[in-house]
Amino acid sequence: MVSTHIKNFDTLVVGGGIAGLQTALDLGDQGYRVAVVEKDASIGGKMIRLSKVFPTLDCASCITTPKMSAVAHHENITLFTYCELNSLDHDGSGESQGIKALITQNPRYVDPIKCIGCRQCEYVCPVHIPDMEQGGLSATKAISIPFSNAIPQLPIMDIENCMLCGQCEKACPTNAIDYFQKPEEFTITAKTAVITTGFDLLAVKDNVQYGNGRIPNVIDSLQMERLLAPHGPYNRVLRPSDGMEPDSIAYVQCAGSRDKSMGVSYCSRVCCMYAIKQAMLLSGSLPLADIIIYYMDIRAFGKGYEQFYQNAKAMGIEFVKAKVARIDKGENGSAQVRYELQDGSGIATTDHDLVVLSMGMVPGWNPEPICPVSKDSDQFITSIKPKISPVLTNMDGLFVAGAAAGPKDIVDTITESGSAAMEAAKFMSKSLMEN
């Protein structure tokens, strides 16, 4: 069924992470009307889930939350969260007619107009489910606001786990709970669009040599970010299996990246630096713990990154040039790491209380069934002029920014977002002059 509910904007930004927020702000400040469509229940993307950023070790929330708030209160920007993009193409047969997107608003089972964000529904809900915002390391309620600084401050009901007891409906002071809410389709038309869909990590469960996700104290880097965060699941770094403070922590670099057997032949760029950042933070919170990073190459590519690496070595973090072949379950909840030393001295095995996998980055969105924009061999969106304007795609009026075009760090993402906003503004100005 085609939606007849049409919303008109100047630019559609697909993705509400740091790239999408920066793009929207840059365009909104120029007076353009911007729609931001986000699949999650809150904007902020991966960055709002981080603890600190490298190489300055600034608080990630302190950087991201003001941008989230600025976007939410901007007069020229409209947010559409918890939405699914069904199609994105040129409006009509002619490319000059702009962009048309079909969107589905997924049901929260909460009326966004009536809800006042009091969280009474969350407090009385008797059902506990794994909290994926905390990497599945703690529990949340079947109806809850995703996290404390989420925007918008609206709860979402996990209807798959809700037992329909009615407690949340009784507790709600504004009668905002709606068990019969249904998906709603609407159409967005715009002159331009910017894809800022970010990245995902390879799943640990797909990694055979590292235990298929069945070793409880082998976690990925985003889970470690939550353990290090001040508002994390335990308020300190503990082993997920038994709550023990780890005495030995290992990082396994290139766990998926630069590995054709995993389908990721490229370097994910940021893994070395975030592993070093996390190791430095761990050294501060667990000063007696042994921290080892198993690496093939350290790729410190940005300004100040090499010095950051040298500082980590000076702090006593051990760097072992080796390729980890496999991880097995050890005794007393430990993980047994088997690796080949790259200096030619052979194969060794070491037990660690906690192992962090620096999983490879893969695209966060597959455009194939939705949008005719082309993909590169690495499955990220193709930049047709990567040297002089990396935000251009093969679709007229459609631009790309951030990790949607390939792995990159936060600094490059924000810079590229500004470039995408300028290209979109230039495109709209040119179209206006031609008309």
Side-chain angles (χ1 to χ4, degrees):
M1 181 179 70
V2 178
S3 170
T4 56
H5 191 186
I6 299 175
K7 303 175 187 291
N8 300 306
F9 294 91
D10 293 318
T11 299
L12 167 64
V13 176
V14 182
I18 188 62
L21 297 178
Q22 189 63 54
T23 302
L25 285 171
D26 287 347
L27 284 166
D29 287 346
Q30 295 181 67
Y32 293 106
R33 293 174 297 110
V34 183
V36 178
V37 174
E38 169 57 45
K39 66 178 180 179
D40 289 340
S42 168
I43 57 174
K46 296 287 191 302
M47 189 173 173
I48 195 63
R49 276 87 173 176
L50 304 181
S51 54
K52 295 181 184 294
V53 296
F54 60 80
T56 58
L57 296 183
D58 288 330
C59 165
S61 291
C62 300
I63 300 170
T64 317
T65 304
K67 289 190 182 293
M68 293 167 63
S69 181
V71 165
H73 294 96
H74 203 293
E75 61 180 0
N76 292 327
I77 301 174
T78 305
L79 293 178
F80 299 94
T81 57
Y82 204 49
C83 287
E84 185 178 341
L85 179 64
N86 300 319
S87 66
L88 176 65
D89 206 343
H90 288 294
D91 187 6
S93 57
E95 292 189 354
S96 62
Q97 296 182 32
I99 301 292
K100 182 179 179 180
L102 181 62
I103 314 288
T104 298
Q105 174 67 66
N106 292 316
R108 290 175 177 267
Y109 302 100
V110 173
D111 189 324
I113 298 174
K114 293 180 180 178
C115 180
I116 57 174
C118 66
R119 305 184 83 153
Q120 292 301 314
C121 56
E122 182 178 343
Y123 300 149
V124 300
C125 178
V127 180
H128 289 82
I129 60 174
D131 187 356
M132 301 318 295
E133 294 293 340
Q134 298 284 14
L137 300 174
S138 62
T140 187
K141 299 294 187 69
I143 182 169
S144 64
I145 292 174
F147 48 91
S148 58
N149 51 349
I151 293 178
Q153 280 281 301
L154 293 172
I156 183 170
M157 183 184 294
D158 186 335
I159 201 66
E160 296 296 323
N161 290 291
C162 175
M163 60 185 192
L164 300 174
C165 65
Q167 291 298 314
C168 56
E169 186 179 28
K170 293 174 185 174
C172 181
T174 59
N175 298 317
I177 306 299
D178 182 3
Y179 294 112
F180 301 101
Q181 204 173 68
K182 304 226 184 265
E184 295 180 2
E185 284 192 345
F186 62 94
T187 299
I188 289 179
T189 61
K191 299 168 187 172
T192 60
V194 183
I195 304 298
T196 60
T197 46
F199 70 93
D200 283 327
L201 293 182
L202 279 171
V204 177
K205 63 181 178 60
D206 296 333
N207 217 315
V208 178
Q209 62 266 42
Y210 300 145
N212 285 109
R214 295 174 186 162
I215 305 174
N217 294 316
V218 175
I219 62 176
D220 66 35
S221 52
L222 286 178
Q223 288 177 304
M224 176 53 80
E225 288 287 345
R226 297 314 308 151
L227 289 178
L228 288 165
H231 45 348
Y234 313 137
N235 294 319
R236 57 195 296 195
V237 179
L238 301 173
R239 289 203 316 186
S241 67
D242 54 11
M244 185 189 91
E245 238 183 37
D247 293 323
S248 174
I249 303 167
Y251 279 83
V252 177
Q253 299 308 104
C254 298
S257 298
R258 304 168 68 190
D259 187 344
K260 289 185 177 180
S261 68
M262 294 293 295
V264 182
S265 59
Y266 51 85
C267 169
S268 294
R269 290 188 68 188
V270 298
C271 310
C272 291
M273 295 308 299
Y274 71 58
I276 293 170
K277 173 200 72 175
Q278 290 182 1
M280 292 174 76
L281 295 175
L282 284 167
S283 182
S285 59
L286 299 172
L288 299 180
D290 296 322
I291 304 168
I292 299 176
I293 296 178
Y294 296 102
Y295 72 99
M296 293 195 294
D297 304 290
I298 293 295
R299 298 190 169 183
F301 59 90
K303 183 177 180 180
Y305 290 7
E306 177 65 25
Q307 187 59 51
F308 193 67
Y309 167 45
Q310 297 300 330
N311 291 346
K313 289 203 291 187
M315 289 175 66
I317 295 162
E318 185 179 355
F319 289 81
V320 177
K321 190 171 177 61
K323 175 58 179 172
V324 174
R326 60 181 294 167
I327 301 175
D328 298 308
K329 190 180 289 187
E331 296 181 356
N332 301 319
S334 67
Q336 191 176 78
V337 178
R338 184 175 175 84
Y339 54 93
E340 180 183 3
L341 291 158
Q342 298 298 294
D343 60 4
S345 57
I347 295 171
T349 302
T350 307
D351 283 5
H352 298 281
D353 295 327
L354 186 64
V355 174
V356 185
L357 301 178
S358 294
M359 303 301 296
M361 292 170 63
V362 294
W365 178 65
N366 179 17
E368 264 183 1
I370 299 168
C371 177
V373 67
S374 65
K375 297 190 300 182
D376 229 325
S377 58
D378 58 7
Q379 304 305 306
F380 289 93
I381 293 173
T382 303
S383 296
I384 59 172
K385 295 182 179 179
K387 299 295 184 185
I388 59 174
S389 187
V391 302
L392 298 180
T393 72
N394 68 320
M395 275 186 68
D396 203 28
L398 183 73
F399 308 97
V400 64
K408 54 182 63 71
D409 64 350
I410 292 167
V411 175
D412 288 348
T413 292
I414 292 175
T415 303
E416 202 168 87
S417 301
S419 176
M422 291 304 101
E423 288 287 356
K426 185 172 73 173
F427 182 86
M428 287 186 281
S429 298
K430 181 181 176 183
S431 299
L432 183 63
M433 291 174 63
E434 289 175 350
N435 293 332

